[in-house]
Amino acid sequence: MSLFEVTKHRIVAVKFWGQGKHREAANEYWEAFKASPSPTHELRYDTLHGYTSMLRKEQTNPEFVVSDNDMDNMRKIFEDKHELRLFRLEAALTLGINHYSRSERHKCEDVFDRAVTIGERKPKNAKQEKVEQKQMVLIIEGKQHMKPMKEIMEDVLKDCKDNLIALNRNTKGSITFEPELMPDGTISQPARKTHRMPIGPGGTVLTEDEINNLIDVGGIHCDFCKRKGTKLFKCARCRREFYCSKECQRKQWTEKDHKVYCRKEGEFKPGDLVQIARLKNKPELNNRIVCVLGRNTTAEGRYNTQMVGGVKGEGIMSFSADNLNHLRPFDCRR
């Protein structure tokens, strides 16, 4: 752990980036971050940002793949209660964006929601408040700038808030990614998302709004009475339904049939609408919504599915449970 090691890895990272070796550059930034001589060293944030900004560019750089190790690195920082808030928020922003790119909308929502809670807390004591006033180095377009940790944290917190809002505000659009200057001089553009579900004759009888309600992460109002601006509670089983009171929870369970549609994580039943996700061999199928027909009796852990409106027996596709995402419970469609 020394400034020499930090500087060495940072120099190599910039060199690899210039050569188009983005995976190697990301690895060097991570090694530089781990070598930081102290949690508050002035280069520590810029070093982490060098790494995280590359992980967030996967959307516009298909040759760069965010690995499970990358996700674990971000998760460890975010979950570390002893880590400084700025670094936890930076890791959360990166985690959320990559959960979204993997079609894990509810994991994305959970990370951003927790990040906002962490960021909005007041400093625990005078010592923490003083630490968060410490100046950090930022390299912007090759020039070094100094900025208080608290000010940087407020910028990252705003990105987390904006992305959390975007999850419900624009279901068919993209999450609000940070636009960044790419090496070729262009501004990065976010990936577009659609539900890709046939509507009308031969397709689903659901309306566009009803489909969007199922894709949204929820949490903007009570799912029974539609009340906004009050504290909401999640269904303890599915964690995708929201209530403002025990009474609304009871009525949603009995009157709106949440008891029929409530599913725990990894549970699928015939008739469920689910979203295909994380396919690497056929990525063009990702984000499509299909209907579960039942378990595949010849392959453990797999389910047979079919596009809504498909002819019985035709177009049946089998997927691992790991490649199927729950939507919100069907009683949330209205």
Side-chain angles (χ1 to χ4, degrees):
M1 304 290 185
S2 69
L3 182 56
F4 173 77
E5 289 293 317
V6 173
T7 304
K8 181 183 74 172
H9 286 298
R10 282 170 61 96
I11 291 173
V12 175
V14 172
K15 180 180 177 181
F16 276 142
W17 172 262
Q19 295 172 349
K21 298 178 180 179
H22 300 160
R23 177 72 266 173
E24 292 85 349
N27 292 343
E28 290 295 329
Y29 272 122
W30 178 245
E31 291 301 319
F33 177 73
K34 292 194 297 181
S36 296
S38 75
T40 59
H41 190 273
E42 63 181 16
L43 281 175
R44 191 167 181 251
Y45 174 74
D46 189 70
T47 301
L48 179 62
H49 184 67
Y51 178 56
T52 57
S53 62
M54 296 185 71
L55 303 191
R56 298 198 287 263
K57 286 191 176 91
E58 185 189 42
Q59 323 305 321
T60 53
N61 182 5
E63 294 181 2
F64 184 91
V65 178
V66 174
S67 68
D68 290 340
N69 282 339
D70 292 324
M71 295 292 281
D72 286 341
N73 292 339
M74 293 298 96
R75 201 171 288 112
K76 287 175 183 177
I77 295 175
F78 178 50
E79 300 289 351
D80 185 356
K81 294 181 180 179
H82 300 291
E83 180 59 86
L84 295 173
R85 292 196 295 169
L86 169 60
F87 298 90
R88 294 183 72 185
L89 293 185
E90 179 74 12
L93 179 61
T94 307
L95 263 181
I97 287 175
N98 279 283
H99 277 314
Y100 187 88
S101 72
R102 296 180 179 199
S103 297
E104 298 168 341
R105 291 173 61 88
H106 289 276
K107 289 183 179 180
C108 172
E109 181 261 348
D110 183 61
V111 168
F112 284 145
D113 185 59
R114 290 170 59 199
V116 170
T117 299
I118 292 169
E120 288 185 336
R121 289 176 187 155
K122 293 182 179 180
K124 291 186 292 186
N125 48 46
K127 182 180 178 180
Q128 183 182 7
E129 188 171 6
K130 183 177 179 180
V131 167
E132 291 180 352
Q133 292 297 334
K134 184 175 174 59
Q135 297 281 322
M136 291 276 125
V137 169
L138 279 177
I139 308 295
I140 303 174
E141 296 181 4
K143 295 182 180 180
Q144 180 173 311
H145 302 265
M146 301 298 293
K147 203 170 183 180
M149 192 184 298
K150 186 175 187 298
E151 196 173 318
I152 302 172
M153 187 172 71
E154 288 172 352
D155 291 339
V156 181
L157 176 60
K158 182 179 183 302
D159 288 333
C160 290
K161 287 181 176 179
D162 289 346
N163 285 335
L164 185 58
I165 293 170
L167 281 170
N168 277 307
R169 183 180 58 202
N170 190 11
T171 299
K172 291 186 64 180
S174 159
I175 197 165
T176 311
F177 291 101
E178 299 180 90
E180 297 188 59
L181 185 67
M182 302 296 284
D184 62 2
T186 61
I187 299 295
S188 63
Q189 298 296 321
R192 304 298 294 173
K193 298 280 183 181
T194 67
H195 58 69
R196 298 183 182 178
M197 188 174 185
I199 299 174
T204 178
V205 296
L206 297 177
T207 66
E208 183 82 12
D209 284 343
E210 288 177 330
I211 295 171
N212 287 343
N213 286 340
L214 295 178
I215 297 176
D216 281 342
V217 296
I220 59 174
H221 56 64
C222 173
D223 284 316
F224 182 78
C225 70
K226 311 306 179 187
R227 182 183 176 191
K228 295 182 180 181
T230 186
K231 184 176 181 180
L232 298 175
F233 305 91
K234 284 184 180 180
C235 171
R237 189 165 189 266
C238 69
R239 301 193 61 78
R240 288 173 169 81
E241 193 111 21
F242 294 84
Y243 310 102
C244 65
S245 66
K246 289 287 186 181
E247 180 67 11
C248 282
Q249 182 180 18
R250 184 187 65 77
K251 289 182 177 179
Q252 187 77 9
W253 183 261
T254 56
E255 297 178 19
K256 296 290 185 69
D257 284 335
H258 184 57
K259 62 184 177 182
V260 175
Y261 303 115
C262 184
R263 304 281 186 269
K264 63 183 179 181
E265 190 68 31
E267 179 186 16
F268 303 101
K269 294 184 179 181
D272 285 355
L273 295 178
V274 295
Q275 193 167 35
I276 303 170
R278 299 175 293 282
L279 285 180
K280 295 181 179 179
N281 58 338
K282 291 185 178 180
E284 67 276 8
L285 294 178
N286 287 332
N287 303 312
R288 291 185 181 274
I289 294 178
V290 292
C291 181
V292 174
L293 301 179
R295 290 182 179 274
N296 185 318
T297 56
T298 61
E300 187 177 355
R302 297 183 70 87
Y303 290 84
N304 291 332
T305 70
Q306 188 176 34
M307 289 289 289
V308 175
V311 178
K312 185 176 181 180
E314 293 185 1
I316 295 177
M317 299 175 286
S318 176
F319 297 103
S320 165
D322 292 336
N323 294 113
L324 298 176
N325 280 345
H326 286 281
L327 301 180
R328 298 194 69 216
F330 194 64
D331 51 292
C332 295
R333 66 191 182 278
R334 296 190 181 92

